[in-house]
Amino acid sequence: MGSVVSLVKSPSFKEAYDSLVCKLYAGYGAYHHDRVNQLIHVVFVPSILGSLMGLFLYLPIEGTQVSFLGMTPTWGWPALLHILLPLYADLPGGAVTLAMYIGLLKGSAEMFKFLGSNEAWKWFLFIQLFSWVAQFYGHAVHEKRRPALMDNLLQIFAAPFFVTLEVLFALGYKPWLKKACEARVGAMLKELRALDAKKKQKN
């Protein structure tokens, strides 16, 4: 007996390949193709986000009467509006990314309360610096390619969505999309390697 899911027609390979979610994934994925580097980012992208949210707790929006899950908004919250793009590109994947953001916001707030304002910032800063060092290590030793943000700083905003999709794909999420995304990453890798070869020839 066929499942309900099997009755839903998946987009064609070309449709998936040309989709916004595939473009977002490949733009970041071409710089994160090595498996070890991917795992490093799966661990440390969330820790960078969470510790950054924690540091922004020292910059609350004064005078606001709004709260969310008992948390007072900070000046870091507006930057989280970039989640709208992942939600538009792929609603389930974007929703999981949004859930991660909420969890990290709440976790950093609870850590702030537990440690106190005099100690929390030290831990947030340590986690932030250690996480960045870990990621640069992944690029230098395993990926052997500069981070995506060095070519396009806006790629920083693509990192959480990429990490979410990596985990979801590993769990079997939308295999047709995974196949298209990996193909697009492969195509971008060829372009990057061709550019690298041209640079070497010039030098």
Side-chain angles (χ1 to χ4, degrees):
M1 181 174 159
S3 65
V4 174
V5 175
S6 65
L7 297 177
V8 179
K9 184 180 178 181
S10 299
S12 68
F13 177 82
K14 186 179 185 308
E15 288 173 328
Y17 187 88
D18 292 335
S19 66
L20 177 58
V21 61
C22 209
K23 291 175 182 177
L24 291 172
Y25 178 92
Y28 196 81
Y31 292 81
H32 304 83
H33 194 244
D34 176 82
R35 180 54 59 183
V36 174
N37 193 37
Q38 288 175 350
L39 291 173
I40 287 173
H41 281 67
V42 166
V43 173
F44 290 108
V45 164
S47 67
I48 285 173
L49 268 174
S51 59
L52 188 60
M53 291 171 180
L55 289 170
F56 268 109
L57 289 170
Y58 292 87
L59 293 172
I61 300 176
E62 300 291 349
T64 180
Q65 301 299 315
V66 179
S67 66
F68 177 68
L69 296 177
M71 298 179 290
T72 301
T74 73
W75 287 107
W77 284 28
L80 300 179
L81 289 174
H82 73 265
I83 189 62
L84 294 174
L85 184 59
L87 285 168
Y88 175 75
D90 183 69
L91 184 58
V96 174
T97 308
L98 177 59
M100 176 177 69
Y101 282 16
I102 294 171
L104 291 170
L105 275 171
K106 190 64 177 175
S108 62
E110 291 300 319
M111 186 174 174
F112 181 85
K113 290 178 184 177
F114 179 76
L115 295 174
S117 61
N118 292 330
E119 289 295 323
W121 72 268
K122 300 174 186 176
W123 284 97
F124 290 139
L125 185 60
F126 171 77
I127 294 169
Q128 182 76 195
L129 294 175
F130 184 84
S131 300
W132 277 109
V133 169
Q135 292 200 118
F136 277 104
Y137 161 81
H139 279 280
V141 177
H142 298 283
E143 191 75 40
K144 293 180 171 51
R145 180 173 293 281
R146 62 191 177 277
L149 62 86
M150 295 182 73
D151 285 340
N152 183 352
L153 191 58
L154 293 178
Q155 287 289 355
I156 289 176
F157 296 109
F161 189 41
F162 172 81
V163 164
T164 299
L165 288 175
E166 277 295 297
V167 174
L168 290 176
F169 285 157
L171 296 174
Y173 177 69
K174 292 184 179 179
W176 49 269
L177 180 60
K178 178 184 178 182
K179 184 178 179 181
C181 286
E182 289 177 345
R184 196 171 190 103
V185 167
M188 285 198 68
L189 269 173
K190 287 182 180 179
E191 291 178 10
L192 288 173
R193 286 166 181 163
L195 288 172
D196 289 342
K198 286 182 179 180
K199 288 179 181 178
K200 287 181 180 179
Q201 288 177 355
K202 289 181 180 179
N203 295 332

